[in-house]
């Protein structure tokens, strides 16, 4: 049985760091939506006359957002169809609200085997924690977020996963502390149960 593990949550919550720490202990595909979409997003944003590093403006959301999710999920489904465990990283903000989204995606998987889905929602205790992390990581992809904080900050609110998953397949993880061995062990236990 292949495992599909989602790392969900707001920007700067630590989704990618956690996913990489877990994937380093296991074999499987690691798919970060930011990485997969970046070349296309830079091209699209440049062609429409906007900042190629923008990942949050209304223009980005209109022209690139759904493309990123499609690219990421197509890659995930391909890996799952050949039996690989797959770790997917992205906010999935709109998708979390749709109870049928996950089922609809899994139907598209061409594999004949079962897929065990786990979802880790990564969050920080408050917007000051997110702002600090965004500043500390110094990514050009965060410039719009910081320059438009009042517009961006509502996206930091903690969300509920509405997908039809058993309760023990969802983990809400406060990632305010350091990434240590205990946190990775907690993730391993969660994915393995």
């Amino acid at each position: 049985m292949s495992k599909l593990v989602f790392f969900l949550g707001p920007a700067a919550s630590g989704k990618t760091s956690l996913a990489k720490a877990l994937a380093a202990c296991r074999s499987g595909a690691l798919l970060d939506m930011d990485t997969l979409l970046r070349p296309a997003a830079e091209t699209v944003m440049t062609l429409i006359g906007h900042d190629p590093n923008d990942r949050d403006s209304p223009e980005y959301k209109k022209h690139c957002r759904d493309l990123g999710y499609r690219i990421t999920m197509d890659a995930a489904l391909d890996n799952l169809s050949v039996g690989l465990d797959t770790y997917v990283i992205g906010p999935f903000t709109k998708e979390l609200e749709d109870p049928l989204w996950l089922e609809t995606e899994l139907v598209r998987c061409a594999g004949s085997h079962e897929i065990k889905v786990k979802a880790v929602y990564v969050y920080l205790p408050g917007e000051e924690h997110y702002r600090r992390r965004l500043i500390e990581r110094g990514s050009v992809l965060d410039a719009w977020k910081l320059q438009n904080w009042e517009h961006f900050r509502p996206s930091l609110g903690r969300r509920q996963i509405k997908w039809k998953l058993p309760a023990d397949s969802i983990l809400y993880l406060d990632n305010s502390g350091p990434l240590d061995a205990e946190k990775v062990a907690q993730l391993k236990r969660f994915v393995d149960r």
Side-chain angles (χ1 to χ4, degrees):
M1 176 183 312
S2 298
K3 292 178 184 172
L4 171 57
V5 183
F6 287 95
F7 285 82
L8 314 162
S13 60
K15 300 179 298 291
T16 302
S17 297
L18 289 169
K20 285 182 175 182
L22 180 63
C25 306
R26 317 249 167 155
S27 61
L30 178 70
L31 304 173
D32 184 339
M33 189 183 73
D34 288 341
T35 302
L36 294 170
L37 178 60
R38 189 170 190 161
E42 288 175 350
T43 300
V44 169
M45 294 301 284
T46 299
L47 287 172
I48 63 170
H50 290 278
D51 180 357
N53 294 314
D54 171 8
R55 294 297 179 275
D56 291 282
S57 71
E59 292 81 13
Y60 170 82
K61 288 184 167 101
K62 177 181 177 184
H63 296 286
C64 298
R65 184 208 183 274
D66 292 343
L67 175 64
Y69 284 97
R70 183 73 274 132
I71 289 168
T72 303
M73 288 309 300
D74 284 352
L77 296 172
D78 276 350
N79 281 282
L80 291 164
S81 73
V82 295
L84 287 176
D85 288 347
T86 304
Y87 306 95
V88 175
I89 307 160
F92 288 84
T93 308
K94 180 171 67 174
E95 293 74 12
L96 290 175
E97 297 294 321
D98 181 355
L100 299 177
W101 179 84
L102 180 61
E103 289 179 34
T104 303
E105 287 296 317
L106 292 178
V107 165
R108 300 177 73 239
C109 189
S112 59
H113 58 282
E114 288 186 50
I115 298 168
K116 185 175 188 175
V117 178
K118 298 284 185 158
V120 181
Y121 187 91
V122 185
Y123 66 94
L124 296 174
E127 70 177 64
E128 67 281 355
H129 291 86
Y130 291 105
R131 187 173 179 84
R132 189 175 326 120
R133 280 211 184 154
L134 287 167
I135 292 167
E136 287 172 0
R137 72 184 186 181
S139 171
V140 296
L141 300 180
D142 294 330
W144 189 93
K145 297 173 182 79
L146 293 166
Q147 292 165 1
N148 297 276
W149 188 253
E150 288 306 309
H151 180 75
F152 172 72
R153 62 189 278 275
S155 72
L156 301 174
R158 186 169 157 188
R159 301 178 187 279
Q160 296 298 310
I161 298 170
K162 295 183 180 176
W163 300 338
K164 295 180 181 179
L165 289 172
D168 68 350
S169 292
I170 299 174
L171 174 66
Y172 292 93
L173 180 66
D174 179 342
N175 195 29
S176 55
L179 177 56
D180 56 16
E182 176 50 38
K183 203 175 278 185
V184 175
Q186 179 185 5
L187 287 171
K188 287 181 188 176
R189 290 190 300 271
F190 168 70
V191 169
D192 290 340
R193 71 173 172 218

